[in-house]
């Protein structure tokens, strides 16, 4: 007898890159040297002071549940971080510690979106955003965006696409997969456009800290009532620790706390204690050195790919991705990725994972490998272009 699973489960799409990752892992198991440019995870291990703090937390017995909002010490440390980095006075009571940035997204979407309602999202964008909305019986209104708006929503696009079912907009700065940033005045314009329509603005600031030549403004500098999602995964390099946070308007905190109590009880206690070391000067020094490495990688890979014929219309200012148009080469993005994985053992991500708008003619490269590995990847890609059967005539 066939299994009957929920419609919401069937509607949530898998990561297309996972099929490529499985193939990449198979090739590695067969002894091939695969260069991984597909997964959005820093190649650096968690900084030593954070690891030491985690080990000390385990030794001290910090293995029990914490309050649903997270330990006070960490919420106070994050508040201090906002004061130091952005000049903002954020009450620690407004900060909730979550299991990764995903936990923050789960809380926010559960709080703000009723069945049949939706947020406006940029297309291309991070796929889990729309999948979380589907999980709670809401929806994503995907707004096609291109280089002319730096792949970001604008007040004009909000006005054009907003309707009676809209309850908010979710934007990301820096964005995945494009690495573009919303400037302070752009955030203010989006805030005004959404507020005028009675909606909520949610901003994914997960890649804050990983910017190059420019600092990213927090939406909280222009809108104290916005919802902010953040994570210890990217800048702080704690992907496997599963720890994030959110900043919410004061009035929303009791409802969010109730949801947290029911949905996951609390974020991992040992990870919370480890994260206290994130804000120590010695740790920040390590993280800033890593940011410099990411900048060097971007500054190598961006012109190198352009020279090979990839169209990258907007220079990314943050995160660690390049979103490249492959239309000059012809063919489909997924087949393009398969070709380079099988022939040259270089893995990168097809645009299908990030939405629908021109998805079959785009791929994403993650510069999460060392500079020598990126140089080797470019040499292999150059060789693989010569054997790509889908090339334009």
């Amino acid at each position: 007898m066939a299994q009957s699973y929920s419609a919401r489960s069937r509607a949530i799409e898998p990561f297309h890159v996972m099929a490529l990752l499985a193939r990449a892992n198979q090739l590695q198991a067969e002894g091939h040297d695969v260069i991984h440019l597909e997964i959005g995870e820093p190649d650096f291990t968690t900084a030593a002071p954070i690891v030491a703090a985690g080990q000390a937390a385990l030794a001290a017995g910090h293995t029990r549940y914490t309050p649903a909002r997270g330990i006070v010490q960490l919420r106070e440390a994050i508040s201090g971080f906002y004061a130091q980095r952005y000049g903002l006075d954020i009450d620690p009571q407004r900060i909730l510690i979550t299991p990764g940035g995903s936990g923050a997204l789960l809380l926010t979407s559960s709080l703000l979106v009723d069945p049949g309602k939706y947020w406006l999202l940029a297309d291309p964008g991070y796929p889990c955003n729309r999948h979380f909305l589907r999980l709670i019986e809401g929806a994503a209104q995907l707004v096609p965006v291109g280089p002319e708006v730096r792949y970001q929503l604008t007040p004009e696009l909000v006005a054009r696409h907003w309707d009676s079912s809209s309850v908010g907009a979710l934007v990301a700065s820096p964005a995945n997969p494009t690495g573009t940033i919303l400037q302070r005045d752009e955030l203010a314009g989006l805030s005004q456009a959404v507020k005028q329509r009675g909606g909520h603005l949610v901003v994914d600031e997960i890649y804050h800290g990983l910017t190059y030549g420019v600092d990213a403004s927090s939406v909280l500098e222009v809108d104290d009532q916005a919802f902010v999602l953040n994570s210890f995964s990217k800048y702080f390099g704690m992907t496997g620790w599963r720890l994030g946070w959110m900043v919410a308007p004061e009035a929303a905190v009791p409802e969010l706390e109730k949801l947290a109590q029911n949905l996951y009880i609390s974020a991992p206690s040992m990870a919370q204690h480890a994260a206290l070391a994130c804000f120590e000067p010695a740790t920040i020094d390590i993280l800033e050195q890593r940011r410099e490495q990411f900048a060097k990688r971007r500054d190598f890979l961006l012109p190198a790919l352009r020279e090979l014929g990839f169209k990258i219309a907007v220079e990314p200012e943050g995160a660690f991705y390049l979103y490249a148009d492959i239309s000059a080469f012809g063919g489909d993005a997924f087949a393009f990725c398969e070709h380079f994985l099988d022939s040259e053992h270089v893995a990168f991500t097809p645009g299908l994972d990030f939405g629908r708008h021109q998805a079959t003619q785009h791929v994403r490269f993650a510069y999460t490998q060392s500079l020598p590995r990126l140089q080797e990847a470019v040499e292999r890609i150059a060789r693989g272009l010569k054997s790509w059967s889908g090339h334009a005539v």
Side-chain angles (χ1 to χ4, degrees):
M1 181 177 177
Q3 294 286 343
S4 177
Y5 298 125
S6 69
R8 75 176 65 86
S9 177
R10 295 194 302 272
I12 292 174
E13 303 168 29
F15 282 115
H16 296 280
V17 73
M18 287 304 165
L20 293 170
L21 181 59
R23 175 61 178 151
N25 290 336
Q26 178 186 346
L27 288 168
Q28 279 191 178
E30 294 170 358
H32 297 287
D33 175 31
V34 178
I35 301 178
H36 291 276
L37 308 181
E38 77 278 36
I39 302 299
E41 181 173 28
D43 54 320
F44 303 108
T45 57
T46 301
I50 303 172
V51 173
Q55 292 169 332
L58 289 170
H62 294 303
T63 58
R64 303 174 68 86
Y65 295 135
T66 74
R69 280 188 287 167
I71 61 174
V72 172
Q73 304 97 301
L74 184 55
R75 291 190 282 115
E76 290 176 342
I78 292 171
S79 175
F81 185 68
Y82 275 98
Q84 181 270 326
R85 182 151 292 195
Y86 306 101
L88 293 171
D89 182 12
I90 304 297
D91 187 341
Q93 298 299 317
R94 295 175 52 197
I95 298 169
L96 291 91
I97 310 301
T98 60
S102 298
L105 179 59
L106 177 62
L107 290 183
T108 311
S109 55
S110 299
L111 178 75
L112 300 179
V113 185
D114 278 321
K117 302 297 183 179
Y118 57 71
W119 285 341
L120 273 58
L121 273 64
D123 179 2
Y126 181 56
C128 290
N129 294 335
R130 67 179 188 270
H131 294 158
F132 267 99
L133 292 170
R134 178 63 187 88
L135 181 68
I136 60 165
E137 303 296 339
Q141 173 71 12
L142 296 181
V143 179
V145 293
E148 69 283 353
V149 290
R150 293 170 41 256
Y151 300 100
Q152 294 281 4
L153 292 184
T154 65
E156 294 74 22
L157 289 171
V158 169
R160 188 184 313 163
H161 291 272
W162 196 276
D163 64 26
S164 59
S165 295
S166 307
V167 294
L170 169 62
V171 296
S173 175
N176 177 9
T178 61
T180 60
I181 290 174
L182 287 162
Q183 301 298 329
R184 185 186 177 111
D185 61 333
E186 294 172 317
L187 290 165
L190 283 168
S191 171
Q192 184 178 15
V194 172
K195 279 185 175 179
Q196 284 176 345
R197 291 161 176 82
H200 296 279
L201 180 62
V202 183
V203 182
D204 170 349
E205 298 185 354
I206 285 171
Y207 290 94
H208 268 227
L210 291 174
T211 58
Y212 316 109
V214 61
D215 290 328
S217 295
S218 173
V219 68
L220 296 171
E221 297 173 36
V222 297
D223 182 358
D224 195 52
Q225 296 301 298
F227 290 79
V228 170
L229 317 178
N230 214 317
S231 173
F232 286 93
S233 290
K234 308 303 182 180
Y235 176 67
F236 295 104
M238 294 180 67
T239 50
W241 299 77
R242 305 314 304 134
L243 198 67
W245 79 84
M246 65 178 297
V247 182
E250 184 178 357
V253 171
E255 289 297 306
L256 289 166
E257 183 175 20
K258 177 183 67 178
L259 289 168
Q261 290 167 344
N262 282 274
L263 292 173
Y264 54 77
I265 302 179
S266 67
S269 55
M270 62 290 295
Q272 293 187 58
H273 285 275
L276 291 171
C278 288
F279 308 105
E280 296 173 358
T283 307
I284 295 296
D285 286 345
I286 294 170
L287 302 180
E288 286 299 302
Q289 290 170 21
R290 293 177 175 185
R291 171 161 69 160
E292 291 174 6
Q293 291 301 311
F294 280 123
K296 291 177 181 178
R297 296 172 184 185
R298 182 201 64 165
D299 292 345
F300 163 75
L301 191 59
L302 176 62
L305 290 176
R306 282 173 168 169
E307 188 174 339
L308 292 178
F310 292 88
K311 297 177 183 177
I312 305 172
V314 179
E315 181 173 310
E317 298 168 304
F320 33 64
Y321 307 117
L322 297 173
Y323 196 59
D325 184 340
I326 63 166
S327 56
F329 310 120
D332 169 79
F334 193 86
F336 190 78
C337 291
E338 284 186 314
H339 167 74
F340 284 90
L341 179 57
D342 287 333
S343 67
E344 301 298 336
H345 305 144
V346 179
F348 44 91
T349 308
L352 288 170
D353 269 343
F354 307 106
R356 302 181 180 89
H357 181 55
Q358 299 182 341
T360 60
Q361 67 185 58
H362 283 84
V363 297
R364 187 195 74 177
F365 296 91
Y367 44 93
T368 51
Q369 295 290 313
S370 68
L371 198 54
R373 293 291 279 171
L374 293 179
Q375 292 166 340
E376 172 67 19
V378 168
E379 292 175 7
R380 295 187 193 183
I381 292 169
R383 187 170 61 230
L385 285 172
K386 297 176 182 177
S387 60
W388 166 238
S389 60
H391 65 80
V393 178

